Structure formats: C-alpha cells, structure tokens
Amino acid sequence: MRWFLSFLFLGFLASVNALSSSGNRLLVVLEDAAEKGLYSTFWGDLTARGYDLVFESPKNDKLSLFHLGERAYDHLLILPPKSKGLGPSLSPKNILEFMNKEGNVLLALSGKSSTPSAINILLDQLDIHLSPDRSAVVVDHFNYDTQSATEKHDVLLLPRPGPLRNDTKAYFSGDGLLAIPRAAPQTLGADSSLVAPVLRAPPTAYSYNPKDESGSVEDVIATGSQLALVSTMQARNSARFTVLGSVESLQDKWFSATVKKPDDEKGTSTVNREFAKQLTSWTFKESGVLKVGKIEHYLAEYPEEVNPKIYRIKTDIVFNIEISEYDQDHYIPFEVPALDALQLEFTMLSPFYRLNLQPTQRTENSTIYSTQFTVPDQHGIFSFRINYNRPFLSNIEEKHEITIRHFAHNEYPRSWAISGAWVWIAGLWSVIGGFLAFVVAWLYSEPSSGALKVKKTQ
C-alpha cells in the first residue's frame, strides 16, 4: 500500500510540473482585478501546463522581482496598466535586471489605452519602438472583421505566421485565422540581430489614431510589413522578451469567436487560443531551447584518447558535439534547418578553418555533429569555437582551448626519406668517397726506382 501511495504522490508531482525548462513561477501584473475574468481560458491553459500563477497589482508596494539577490519568479507577464506607470518595482532597470538573471517577459499592449512612458523607455533599449502617438492602432480596410469592426476596421484578420526565413524553424505556424483587435503598432530596429518579428501587419495596413479629429493619414510613420503586431527579442544569455500588440486577442471571446472577412460569407473560427499557446510556449522556454551535451575531440588515429590538451601540427583531428532541443516536456534530437549550417571555427586570432558540422549519430534525445580536419602548419594556442545564434533558438556559444606544438627533433622525416635530398646525399658521399680514395692512393704509392741518391759532404 505504501509503494502505491508513493507512486500516486510522484504522479501528482509530475502532473503539476511546468513544461518550461526554466521553472514554473509566473508573475502576472494586472492592475484591474475585475478584468481577470476576461482571460479565464488563458489562465486555465497556463495552469494546466503546470505554471504557478501569482497575480499582483503594479500599485502593490511589496511587489518585487527579486529575493535575496535572486529572481523571485521565473517568468513575468505584464498586462497594460490604466495608470501612467508600472511603479518602482517594475521600472525598466528592474525588468532588464530580471532578464540579466535569465528571466522571461511577455508584455501585452493595447491600442485602447495610451502606453506608459516607462514601457516606451524599456522597449527603446531593446530596439523595439512604438508609435510616437501613444493612442495609435493598426488599421486595415481590406483584412478586418466585418462583424465587430464595421466602421473602424481595427480588428485585423490574418493567417498564422510562417517561418521568418528559410533557415529558421517555425514555432508559430499553422492553419487558421487570427483576430488581432486594436493592436498597438511596433517597428523594429534594422541593425539588431537579437530582435525578430513573429507577426507582421499586411501590406494594406497602417497606424492611425482614432482620437485624431482631422482624420488625416498623410504623416504615417510606418505602413504595411514595416509594422509588427507581435515581436520578440532574445538576449545573449537566451532570456526572452515578447511584445504582443493586442492584449484583447487573449480574451475568452476571441479564443472562440466567429469572424468574417469582407469577402467571406460563411465566417471562420479564430485560432487565437492555439497561437497564444505557441507564443507563451516559446516565451517561457517550452520550445526552441538548445542544450549542449558532450564535446569531444581526438586524433583520428587514436580515438580512445579523448580531449587531449596538446596536438602536433599536420595531424588529423575529429571534433564531436552533442546537441538536444527541448520540446514541451522533454529533449529531442536537434535538427539543423535544411538551408542552415552548424559551423565549427578552429581559430587562433582569426579562424584558420570554418567547417560545417554534419550529423553522424542520433540518440533518443540528442544529435551528434562531427567534422574532421588537418591541423595547420602553425604552432600556438588554438581554440574550438561554436557560435550558433538563430532567431527563436537559444544561443550556443562554446570555446575550448588547446595547444598546437611543432615537430619534436625525432619526429622530422630522415633525409633519405625525402626524395629531393637524394642529390645532396649523393654529392656528400661522393666527396667522402673521393677523399678516402685519395688517402688510400697516397698511402700505398711507392717512389720510382731511378730516384737520385744525394751524397753527404763534409
């Protein structure tokens, strides 16, 4: 009976474990507690995935993201406040410090209320920029819901996004139609490799302030695909920050709503619930998390001697790295996208080699990538480097130093093994042979018989 109760207890612990690879503590910042019921399905989905939700108001003086110098929560979800700020506990400095400690943040905005200046300051530091007009929303006169936005056209109907590029994985793709009501427009910095859009506005969309009495749209800052409705930023320590332009898309009524495009007579059900699951899954590190296992390098002739500290020039080296990808609740073998490459750099001050790693072995939850190369004719301190940074995948940065030595005095090839030296060897021995022949001829030669005899006189 005791073992049966223990089994039930372990099963209970497994059922309440979060699917996230970084923890289950989720802080939800919600100013108006009355609005909590509008997102009941969303909260239920997060709880069912094992998250421990803590609801706090930004006006709470005891609210803190840290405890004894460490983060008090693993993830942070901020819903748009009605007041002008988020309070001292949620200042841009504290949120950035939370990310420095590998915390993940999901920030939801709304075009119905103006964005606090603290959020603008925070997003500017992440190279995500909101419209200078804080009350602007994204409007599209061709892709809108004819039932809920007949006049304003501010409820956009869009297909789910595909891959960002051909060499990236699709964590948000699928079939169906998304309803994005009253989204706050975003523009992304062109020079940052850490920022990536998830959902862009259609080409016919633009930002517009419905409170503007003039109704002029001539001075639009960005239009079409320049506007992002959902964007992400992944820091170098793999902490994730997601900006959702429409918090209303998480409400219950849009999770199961029937919408109609201008050219649609029957209507279509939205897939906001599934998209919200994908978005939170990525933000809270349930997907797209890479883990490095064993890293091995050895001489091709002696595979049993793994990871030596010193190699000799002009020898063949084999390099192996084991990589896994976290998927919901377990690790699976990581597959590099078809048009991408995982590369190894063999470098001193600059790379001597930059080689593509090829999958050579797959285990139950990992893939082993390998390559083989010849050490260059240069001695010194070298390093194996892998720096793999791709959108929506956690970063891999590995560096392992080794020493490359030159030939020892007894490792150089002998002169007779070098065909080009045979001429000089022959010349040397010809000199020696000629000298020996001269000595022998000198020692064994006799004087002639008719030699003159010299008489001594007194």
Side-chain angles (χ1 to χ4, degrees), residues 38-291:
L38 300 176
Y39 308 91
S40 59
T41 304
F42 180 60
W43 309 136
D45 290 344
L46 290 174
T47 304
R49 282 152 54 195
Y51 289 100
D52 182 14
L53 275 64
V54 178
F55 293 88
E56 292 287 352
S57 171
K59 298 179 180 180
N60 187 358
D61 297 334
K62 298 182 180 180
L63 175 63
S64 177
L65 298 177
F66 309 99
H67 178 66
L68 299 178
E70 298 296 329
R71 67 172 194 260
Y73 305 94
D74 302 309
H75 317 286
L76 176 61
L77 172 58
I78 304 176
L79 274 68
K82 295 183 178 180
S83 56
K84 295 183 179 180
L86 293 173
S89 300
L90 298 173
S91 63
K93 179 180 178 181
N94 288 343
I95 294 177
L96 291 176
E97 181 63 24
F98 181 74
M99 295 182 63
N100 287 336
K101 295 183 179 293
E102 299 185 5
N104 308 302
V105 182
L106 174 58
L107 173 63
L109 304 176
S110 176
K112 295 178 63 177
S113 58
S114 59
T115 305
S117 57
I119 292 181
N120 279 278
I121 295 174
L122 171 65
L123 294 181
D124 284 343
Q125 297 186 55
L126 302 179
D127 212 10
I128 302 175
H129 311 287
L130 301 180
S131 173
D133 191 345
R134 298 183 183 181
S135 299
V137 296
V138 181
V139 177
D140 190 345
H141 302 300
F142 297 90
N143 301 280
Y144 67 94
D145 182 22
T146 57
Q147 299 182 126
S148 60
T150 306
E151 297 181 357
K152 296 183 178 180
H153 301 174
D154 56 357
V155 179
L156 276 61
L157 301 181
L158 305 174
R160 287 163 70 175
L164 177 65
R165 302 193 308 248
N166 292 330
D167 59 348
T168 59
K169 292 192 173 184
Y171 293 102
F172 313 99
S173 62
D175 299 328
L177 207 60
L178 294 174
I180 310 295
R182 289 165 283 280
Q186 313 159 34
T187 55
L188 308 181
D191 299 330
S192 177
S193 60
L194 306 178
V195 180
V198 173
L199 182 64
R200 290 189 179 273
T204 53
Y206 62 93
S207 61
Y208 171 68
N209 185 0
K211 299 180 181 179
D212 190 358
E213 297 180 357
S214 64
S216 173
V217 292
E218 296 179 357
D219 299 329
V220 178
I221 297 179
T223 61
S225 58
Q226 295 175 334
L227 298 171
L229 306 178
V230 182
S231 54
T232 62
M233 196 286 297
Q234 183 169 242
R236 301 190 188 280
N237 64 351
S238 296
R240 295 175 175 180
F241 190 100
T242 300
V243 182
L244 175 62
S246 172
V247 69
E248 294 182 42
S249 63
L250 303 177
Q251 294 180 359
D252 297 345
K253 66 177 182 179
W254 294 110
F255 272 13
S256 58
T258 300
V259 293
K260 290 184 179 181
K261 276 190 171 185
D263 56 350
D264 187 5
E265 297 180 358
K266 297 181 180 180
T268 306
S269 298
T270 60
V271 291
N272 285 29
R273 184 176 184 178
E274 181 63 25
F275 180 71
K277 178 182 178 181
Q278 291 177 328
L279 193 64
T280 54
S281 174
W282 182 87
T283 305
F284 300 151
K285 291 186 178 178
E286 297 178 35
S287 60
V289 179
L290 301 183
K291 182 183 73 172

Side-chain angles (χ1 to χ4, degrees), residues 317-354:
I317 295 180
V318 178
F319 180 87
N320 299 328
I321 182 171
E322 182 182 19
I323 303 180
S324 305
E325 180 181 359
Y326 191 79
D327 183 27
Q328 305 305 321
D329 60 350
H330 65 287
Y331 283 97
I332 62 174
F334 171 64
E335 303 294 338
V336 177
L339 299 181
D340 195 13
L342 177 65
Q343 293 185 327
L344 167 70
E345 289 186 352
F346 190 66
T347 177
M348 184 185 284
L349 296 177
S350 59
F352 276 66
Y353 295 125
R354 186 178 286 117

